[in-house]
Amino acid sequence: MSRLSLRTLITGLILAVTLGFSTVPSASAAPLAPSAGYGFSGGADLLALSQGDLNRELDAVAATGARWLRVGVDRSQIETGPGVYNWSTSDRVINAARARGLTVLAVIAYTPLLQGGGLLRTAPPANVNDFAVFTSRAAQRYQGRVSNWEIWNEPNLPLFFGNVPNPALKYTQLLRAAYPAIKRVQPRATVIAAGLSRQIGALSPPAFINAMYRYGAKGFFDAAAMHPYTFPGGLRANQENGISDIAVVHGIMSRNGDGGKKIWFTEFGAPTNGPRFGGNTPIQQRDQIRDTLAFLARLPYSGPAFIYSIRDTAGDPQSLANRETRFGALLTYDYKRKPTFDLLRR
């Protein structure tokens, strides 16, 4: 069977399962979720919040059934000079999450000025051993507080991997350096390959992870990760193969002997900047989050699922054209509750 026909068959099967749900939880019922639980991914803005805003956001998370918080450990902020570290930004968020009973998934990413292999802080380091040293220091720093580590964020998007050529090769080199560095400090840690964004073409999740295996990624991650965003059309629209690629990626893992490993869904959600600007309404956001959680719960290889994000980062009408400001699932910028809060609250 050709690759195209196989993809078509898998897509049809996935969407048939999706459309064939016998029941869909109502907005007032506790949503179906993966057995490993769900949580929130706060994004870079979480690290910059005042203590008061951080407390209010995490209190909202604690009022839901969430069990997880995804927190950035940003090397470009922390490593202020060679061998000089200021952990205060990630310390504050990780400690606040643990104080509320949340398990932390730490995302190690980004590169200090003058150490990168490209012009952007999102580019991988010129020397992967520098990254390995930092991951080891992070594992030591958070020993007993963090045991789940995601290595980088969306390296299949040029913006988040510094526009470097052959990103799958360079990412695999990074992963191969980071994995043993963490395991030497925390042998039982779970190391997760970076969440891959929905995408088509040569940088799609299936193409990217297939290339990772060619470059030697096998044996250097404990779980894979994907970001199955379904906005604006929802689960059934399958934009950019955001849903059907999940089964394709797992099939690639299985063919490489990794079928027993989980796929963590470290970001998904929808912006509430409205259909006029390519987003959704708050009700549509709630429904997409509910439906995606239920879909992922039915996958036998699903790890935890992380909703992006907690609170909008802007509230003025002029910012509606920037959908990135309206991904808050629980709260508007001025702390009004969104419909998803009522869906998820205990």
Side-chain angles (χ1 to χ4, degrees):
M1 185 179 292
S2 71
R3 178 178 176 83
L4 179 61
S5 60
L6 178 60
R7 177 184 286 274
T8 302
L9 175 60
I10 292 172
T11 300
L13 290 172
I14 291 292
L15 295 181
V17 171
T18 302
L19 291 169
F21 285 167
S22 58
T23 59
V24 176
S26 69
S28 60
L32 185 63
S35 60
Y38 72 86
F40 288 85
S41 178
D45 296 310
L46 196 65
L47 297 173
L49 293 176
S50 70
Q51 191 63 49
D53 285 336
L54 176 64
N55 288 339
R56 291 182 75 178
E57 288 198 19
L58 295 191
D59 285 346
V61 171
T64 72
R67 291 158 48 186
W68 293 85
L69 186 71
R70 183 176 183 243
V71 178
V73 177
D74 186 342
R75 182 179 169 226
S76 71
Q77 291 183 8
I78 293 168
E79 192 170 333
T80 57
V84 180
Y85 305 96
N86 179 354
W87 300 94
S88 60
T89 54
S90 50
D91 276 357
R92 194 168 59 98
V93 180
I94 288 170
N95 291 341
R98 286 177 49 80
R100 290 164 175 81
L102 299 170
T103 301
V104 172
L105 167 63
V107 188
I108 305 179
Y110 308 139
T111 306
L113 186 66
L114 304 180
Q115 294 191 42
L119 297 177
L120 303 175
R121 65 185 268 274
T122 58
N127 185 345
V128 296
N129 291 329
D130 293 340
F131 187 75
V133 169
F134 181 79
T135 59
S136 177
R137 293 293 182 91
Q140 292 169 18
R141 175 77 179 185
Y142 296 115
Q143 181 86 269
R145 288 183 281 174
V146 179
S147 59
N148 300 281
W149 301 93
E150 186 178 3
I151 307 304
W152 218 266
N153 176 65
E154 298 186 337
N156 68 321
L157 290 186
L159 176 64
F160 289 111
F161 212 53
N163 290 301
V164 298
N166 202 350
L169 171 61
K170 288 184 170 61
Y171 177 69
T172 302
Q173 292 170 340
L174 202 68
L175 189 63
R176 288 173 61 94
Y179 185 86
I182 291 173
K183 290 291 189 173
R184 280 192 290 269
V185 179
Q186 296 184 13
R188 297 184 179 179
T190 300
V191 178
I192 301 112
L196 300 177
S197 174
R198 81 180 196 195
Q199 177 77 289
I200 58 174
L203 294 177
S204 69
F208 200 89
I209 201 161
N210 207 35
M212 285 172 56
Y213 276 113
R214 287 201 311 272
Y215 294 131
K218 183 175 171 60
F220 290 90
F221 63 96
D222 301 315
M226 296 180 71
H227 293 174
Y229 285 99
T230 63
F231 70 88
L235 205 66
R236 295 159 182 80
N238 193 36
Q239 288 97 171
E240 299 177 303
N241 303 317
I243 291 299
S244 57
D245 271 352
I246 296 171
V248 179
V249 165
H250 189 258
I252 293 168
M253 293 169 64
S254 296
R255 289 195 295 276
N256 284 277
D258 283 340
K261 293 181 178 179
K262 303 289 188 182
I263 299 178
W264 291 38
F265 300 98
T266 54
E267 283 185 27
F268 75 97
T272 57
N273 60 328
R276 178 185 170 190
F277 298 102
N280 296 105
T281 67
I283 293 294
Q284 289 170 333
Q285 179 195 53
R286 177 201 67 193
D287 292 348
Q288 287 184 30
I289 288 171
R290 176 198 64 201
D291 292 349
T292 303
L293 278 173
F295 176 80
L296 299 177
R298 290 175 165 85
L299 298 178
Y301 48 82
S302 177
F306 294 76
I307 300 163
Y308 180 81
S309 58
I310 302 168
R311 173 177 161 242
D312 291 343
T313 59
D316 57 293
Q318 290 77 17
S319 63
L320 285 170
N322 179 7
R323 72 185 186 197
E324 298 301 320
T325 67
R326 296 303 200 279
F327 270 93
L330 298 182
L331 302 167
T332 64
Y333 182 69
D334 57 353
Y335 289 98
K336 292 183 175 64
R337 293 177 177 178
K338 287 188 172 183
T340 302
F341 182 94
D342 294 321
L343 171 72
L344 299 176
R345 67 179 171 180
R346 296 179 202 262

